[in-house]
Amino acid sequence: MSKILRNVGVVTGILVGAAHAKFDGFYTGASVGYMNQNTSIDAKQNPANRFAHVNKGTGHQGSPTAELFLGWGKVFGGCFYGGLEGKIDLVLGRNQKVAEDTGFIFKSGRKGLGIAALVRLGCLVTPTTMIYGGVGVKALRFDHDLFEKSEKISAPFSQKTLNLLTEVGVETAVGSSHHLRFRFAYAFMPKKSMTRTTTQFPAKHMYRDQGILKTSGTEHAVKLGVIYSF
């Protein structure tokens, strides 16, 4: 009996050691995927006048995305994982039309890189496979333009925001390698509103006197990545 227990202990130690070797320490990686952005618009030329121009709705646009990340993590308690990760991502493509009516075209989209920091907690379901969840913050800039058709007046503006970011995923090691693993992940960034009013619009724009534009956007991204552990 004691021999059996010793053998079980040895096997357990080997499995735990393998898990530590595959998931402990620093790592870097890259992923590609698809990002869907949902953008809402609430535009009112004059809120006090019910006959004035109003445009309210939500548009959807999707684009390929690429991401680089660097992080550190550690297995504890045999099967639990904790770590930190920094990310930069890029959405490929230009601003897209979100809404259009007889008077206006509203375009919106990401500008430049998104920069994020994420705290990750996970659980090893096998010595080579981990499921995880993460929460953090993401800084990025959006471009918007409420283009007035009749006078052909552009009203572009951009704003940098700091947003909540959540992510869930699965990581699995490649064969017996202690250095390579794959990741499949889903990330979500909830909406954060931005407002443009009156004198922030160009001269002669219809929204210059009483206008208010409110817009917000969310991001959903599905990504497949490869990781190298140091």
Side-chain angles (χ1 to χ4, degrees), residues 89-101:
D89 72 357
L90 176 68
V91 177
L92 307 179
R94 305 174 63 182
N95 286 9
Q96 299 183 38
K97 182 170 64 177
V98 173
E100 182 177 7
D101 59 20

Side-chain angles (χ1 to χ4, degrees), residues 8 37 43 53 72 105 108 120 122 127 154 167-168 182 208 218:
V8 170
Q37 295 172 306
H53 176 267
W72 174 88
I105 299 174
S108 178
R120 300 200 310 150
S154 235
E167 182 174 297
V168 293
F182 289 117
R208 175 77 177 193
T218 63

Side-chain angles (χ1 to χ4, degrees), residues 20 84 142 185:
H20 280 244
L84 299 171
F142 280 96

Side-chain angles (χ1 to χ4, degrees), residues 113-167:
L113 298 174
I115 302 173
L118 199 69
V119 176
R120 300 200 310 150
L121 295 175
C123 179
L124 274 66
V125 293
T126 75
T128 59
T129 302
M130 175 179 72
I131 57 174
Y132 74 90
V135 62
V137 292
K138 184 174 183 178
L140 70 168
R141 183 178 293 275
F142 280 96
D143 268 355
H144 306 284
D145 187 5
L146 189 65
F147 178 77
E148 183 185 334
K149 289 182 177 179
S150 60
E151 298 296 329
K152 294 182 171 53
I153 301 175
S154 235
F157 71 100
S158 65
Q159 184 171 338
K160 191 172 184 179
T161 62
L162 191 64
N163 307 270
L164 177 68
L165 176 67
T166 59
E167 182 174 297

Side-chain angles (χ1 to χ4, degrees), residues 163-210:
N163 307 270
L164 177 68
L165 176 67
T166 59
E167 182 174 297
V168 293
V170 179
E171 290 183 13
T172 184
V174 180
S176 60
S177 172
H178 286 181
H179 297 289
L180 289 177
R181 58 186 191 265
F182 289 117
R183 173 189 292 183
F184 178 75
Y186 163 75
F188 172 66
M189 188 191 78
K191 68 181 180 179
K192 192 166 188 178
S193 298
M194 290 166 275
T195 303
R196 193 79 166 171
T197 61
T198 58
T199 56
Q200 293 176 310
F201 288 93
K204 299 184 180 180
H205 195 282
M206 286 178 62
Y207 274 45
R208 175 77 177 193
D209 294 328
Q210 304 291 333

Side-chain angles (χ1 to χ4, degrees), residues 67-69 85-89 114-116 118 167 183 223:
E67 177 185 76
L68 297 174
F69 49 89
E85 185 170 291
K87 303 171 176 284
I88 57 172
D89 72 357
I115 302 173
L118 199 69
E167 182 174 297
R183 173 189 292 183
K223 302 169 289 184

